[in-house]
Amino acid sequence: MKTGSSLLLTHHLDNRHYHFSQFENGLRVIFVEDPTSEACNVAATVGNGHFSDPDDCLGLSHLLEHMLFQGNKKYKAIDAFDTFLSLHGGSVNAATGSEYSHYYFSVTGEHFSCALDHFSQLLTAPLFEKEAIEKEIGAIDAEFSLKINDDLRRLYEVHKETANPDHPFSQFSVGNASTLGELNLQEMQQRLKTLHQDKYVAQNITLCIISPFSHQTSLALIKQYFGQLEKRKPSKRPPLPALYLPEQLGIRIDITPLKSARRLIVTFALPCVHHYYRTKPLSIISELLADEGPNGLLGFFKEKGFATNISVGGGIEGSNFRDFNVNLQLTELGLANIDSMLEALFQYLENIRQHSKLCFFDEKKALLEQIWQFADAIKPIDEAVSLSSAIFLYPCEHLIASEYILDKADPSIVDEILGFFTPSNMRVKVVSPDAQTNQISQWYNTPYAVSPLSPQLLKKLQNESCSSLLTLPEKNQFLSREHTLTQADKMYSVPQNIVASEDFNVWFGQDIQFGLPRGDCYISFDCQAATTGVEATVSRKLWIALLNNHFQQTYYQANVAGLNYHLYSHQCGFSLHTSGFSAKQLTFNQELIEQLHSLEDFEKHFEQVKHQQCQSLHNNLLNKPINRLFARLSAFMQQNTHTPLSMVAAMESTTLEHVHAVKDKLLNDRYMETLIFGNWDRKHVQKFSAELNQQHEAYNGHKKLSRSVFDLSKQDSLLHALPCEHPDAAVVIYYQSPNTGRRDTLLTILLEQLVSPVFFNFARQQAQLGYLVGSGYVPFNQHPGMAFYVQSPKYSAQYLITVIRDFLQKLTVDLLPYQKNWRDIKQGVMKQLCQKDANLSIKSQRLWSALGNQDYRFSQNKDTANELERIQFSDLMNFVNGLIIGKNMGELILYSDPKHSISADELSTTAVNDISEFKKHTPLVE
């Protein structure tokens, strides 16, 4: 057995302990000892994905993933693991990729051993019962049907159909009733067993365990539960052919989307570049192409009116291929000038070739080192998946460092990779509603056409020279080379109100937990003008979009250097959030606030940005029915939230003059609240606050605006129909809890925690209502509530409503068996609600939310724990009975059904057709 932290390269500030072990049976495991962790997070990666699917059973690996949750030799009940985890503050999920599958879960420490037992049985001893196979094929078919109108899936299929048909990437990977129904259940059962026996073997599985336990403790448990796996290698896969044939390069692919979208996606076909992880040539190339400054590629396209956004570097990758994409969001003018845009791209690539690259390596290395040492911790479960995957890709010593290490700066490798960035090695996708097409994809019915790029264009692109209009970014002025920690004062470990008035408040706190040179600054503006109707809402939305368009170009390098901003609208106004390294952040924030007040020159990009916003609103109307129903629910419950349909009409008639007028009204009459939390001292923050206040005093102030929601408790049960062209029926039934008190909030959360797996199993497995089913805790402005939802390709909305209501009528009986687990359930909820902050950003966000909830003592966790301890199972049953009989619980049913209408009387409900009328006559509740 090979084990030891000395093999793993880490940074000097990382206090966790890492141990890599390879067991005698070939199982490889990385253990991460994290004494600060309150939960155990486990991920398994299996070297199997849809590339293993046989031609006559496409989707088999996806079905195998589903089947592992359908019972095993020791835990025969369907979803037994999910049910176990939900009772103990945990969760589980899985995903099937092209060459790997991932399974991952989290659980509280005291249930770690039992959870590992479940997990090992799930992975190694599935039952593959025929009845369950049949049901899961139905579930996969429903999943396929659910995504049939998803433009990402549709584009992905065109990508597959235009790749080498002998490469497994070209295969249909999701599966459906057609591909998984060609074999009878006996044959399908045997296929699943054969694939599982071949691929789910010790030498083809890797694990990552992140827990507070010592690696010896975790190692003993892994040996106990996984040590029995047979030492056996999976069957050797034949070498993969080239991803693209010669005739599939140097081509243009025109595609018609369902939603209104115009995109240019330029793809360069590369080999696998994992072995260059210590040089990171694609990172260097990506950041240069993605520069959004005025002289970069996007800046040039914006100046020409060709494009509004860019993303660079993404693309499919596997063991013998890597796509590199330059993805541009186009204007109509850009769509008419594709060749000119390609010429500019190759001119910029030539600039990169001719330019010295050592300075870019230097900046990238410095930034990666800072990110590695000072970055906020990522979610442990995401880290576990990343590390278990890394075992397949990187040597042991660099499992932790692989994403951050850049110790072999070599410009010649960048030049080598740039050698693949040629016109003849390029695929050009043009996505447009007006695309001229002559083919339809097999599964998602996507119209597309393939044509070779003209020899004249290829020759011109091949011979492009540098352009003086396009320049590479200069030295990054936002990058801080030195980061020091401020001496913290325990007085500010909890934020203090250092500037207090009726219309202006500043809260300041210092981080004494994470010890990072980082911080967050939130500034919120409540504006009376934001509450005056849909016209003001869309003008505010447009103003924020125009500002973001300007900031995007001006401050792209700040984002590269680890200074982030987020300017966004909320119900009562807008907020600015800056985050990242503290050294230059408050100066950066001041600059943004100053421009927010002073910037007036929006004329050049107004029509372009307005078109984007209109397009986004129109596209919202094409979302899945269940998404549209939840958006409509939000419009029902909140005072200043409007439907996309009402906003479309208002947006189309909004002028630049309207935007300027609303901007002035927003800024002239406001309330400001600020939270500054992180690596700053009081003197620095007081100076920042004084300047902020001085600016604020030039305007009229008012009190913080109310976030009251509409009160459903005194209403009849309400029914609202949403017109929708999607063929599926969909239902959301929302129950508003009696009040916002901590007790009702906790009872709602406890009920949701208990009922979620029960309802999911009932709706998906027993009633087979559809693939998209579930329940969730849905608060509006801290008023608790919960929702049950189903989208079904088989049943009418009225049937779905009846089935959900019948399920709820039997809820007290269904939940009684959980009385014996009541303490565990409460402890699980307690850990979720009162868990330690995982990183500085999450802590800052929690503190900011506390201010929004007027929890000025920041004592919610302590108060929650005390109240939760007092709640008995009988209290929950009384709460459930109140839901069943409608006592003080508001019920709002929203549905869409293109084939059937529902009479409100048949469901003993009152129809609500006009949301604005509903809001006029419905009282508010805090």
Side-chain angles (χ1 to χ4, degrees), residues 10-169:
T10 63
H11 66 77
H12 69 284
L13 295 178
D14 191 345
N15 294 320
R16 300 188 301 178
H17 298 290
Y18 301 88
H19 298 265
F20 177 82
S21 297
Q22 182 162 336
F23 288 75
E24 291 178 3
N25 61 6
L27 182 71
R28 291 164 291 168
V29 187
I30 182 168
F31 299 95
V32 183
E33 294 179 28
D34 185 353
T36 66
S37 176
E38 293 184 322
C40 300
N41 295 272
V42 180
T45 296
V46 183
N48 177 70
H50 78 80
F51 281 10
S52 302
D53 292 352
D55 292 341
D56 63 347
C57 198
L58 300 178
L60 182 65
S61 292
H62 186 197
L63 177 62
L64 175 56
E65 173 218 308
H66 277 239
M67 290 306 302
L68 297 193
F69 293 88
Q70 303 306 302
N72 53 68
K73 291 177 183 176
K74 184 170 183 179
Y75 300 102
K76 292 181 169 55
I78 289 173
D79 286 328
F81 191 30
D82 191 20
T83 302
F84 170 81
L85 292 172
S86 69
L87 293 174
H88 301 109
S91 62
V92 63
N93 213 332
T96 302
S98 56
E99 296 177 88
Y100 300 100
S101 295
H102 307 282
Y103 302 84
Y104 44 98
F105 74 89
S106 64
V107 71
T108 54
E110 56 266 44
H111 300 286
F112 181 40
S113 177
C114 191
L116 273 178
D117 187 21
H118 269 279
F119 195 50
S120 67
Q121 294 295 320
L122 178 148
L123 290 171
T124 64
L127 292 175
F128 296 130
E129 292 184 338
K130 293 175 187 176
E131 183 181 353
I133 293 172
E134 187 173 28
K135 283 185 177 181
E136 286 312 300
I137 290 174
I140 285 175
D141 190 63
E143 179 183 354
F144 164 72
S145 299
L146 180 70
K147 300 289 182 72
I148 197 92
N149 292 325
D150 184 314
D151 270 332
L152 288 177
R153 289 273 180 108
R154 299 171 83 252
L155 264 63
Y156 195 50
E157 185 183 24
V158 172
H159 191 169
K160 286 172 170 287
E161 289 195 3
T162 56
N164 182 354
D166 291 331
H167 196 289
F169 170 74

Side-chain angles (χ1 to χ4, degrees), residues 491-510:
M491 173 183 175
Y492 297 107
S493 60
V494 174
Q496 303 297 310
N497 194 185
I498 61 170
V499 182
S501 70
E502 188 175 69
D503 59 351
F504 184 86
N505 281 279
V506 177
W507 296 78
F508 166 56
Q510 290 180 316

Side-chain angles (χ1 to χ4, degrees), residues 518-533:
R518 304 175 67 88
D520 292 80
C521 180
Y522 290 88
I523 303 177
S524 178
F525 293 77
D526 276 16
C527 311
Q528 199 68 53
T531 66
T532 56

